[in-house]
Amino acid sequence: QLQASGGGLVQPGGSLRLSCKVSGINLEYYAIGWFRQAPGKEREGVSCVTTDGGSQRFGEFVKGRFTIFKDNAKNAVYLQMNRLEPEDTAVYSCAARYGSTCSLRFEYDYSGQGTQVTVSS
């Protein structure tokens, strides 16, 4: 089971830290991806991290604003989002994929409920 949390309302230029808490699987064997979906738009890959946390990928729109951190000991993955823009408004969710590689395409084994991020003044 995966549960995303940490969303909320933030002003443009602000920051949020999203958490993905994982239960029922050993995170050491799973890559994790973050995805988002805005109303009327298709789901898009935000970021992903490999099993050991040593390699990450980001969507082109991130432009260095986000970082991802995987804590296998706590069975959690965090997405730190800085310099948020109104275009970042969406529901953010996380997903788990067995194996070492990660993908920004939704090719995952498990996913969970998302958390709403709203960027507005």
Side-chain angles (χ1 to χ4, degrees), residues 44-98:
E44 60 182 344
V46 178
S47 180
C48 67
V49 60
T50 53
T51 48
D52 64 357
S55 180
Q56 308 95 36
R57 296 179 64 188
F58 296 90
E60 289 185 5
F61 57 87
V62 172
K63 299 177 183 177
R65 299 179 297 135
F66 300 173
T67 55
I68 187 169
F69 174 67
K70 189 171 188 270
D71 191 337
N72 286 339
K74 294 185 178 180
N75 248 28
V77 178
Y78 306 96
L79 182 69
Q80 177 67 43
M81 304 190 297
N82 300 324
R83 303 197 307 275
L84 284 162
E85 304 168 351
E87 294 73 23
D88 295 317
T89 296
V91 174
Y92 286 70
S93 61
C94 53
R97 163 187 169 120
Y98 186 79

Side-chain angles (χ1 to χ4, degrees), residues 8-14 84-89 117-121:
L9 174 64
V10 63
Q11 292 187 341
L84 284 162
E85 304 168 351
E87 294 73 23
D88 295 317
T89 296
V117 171
T118 303
V119 185
S120 174
S121 55

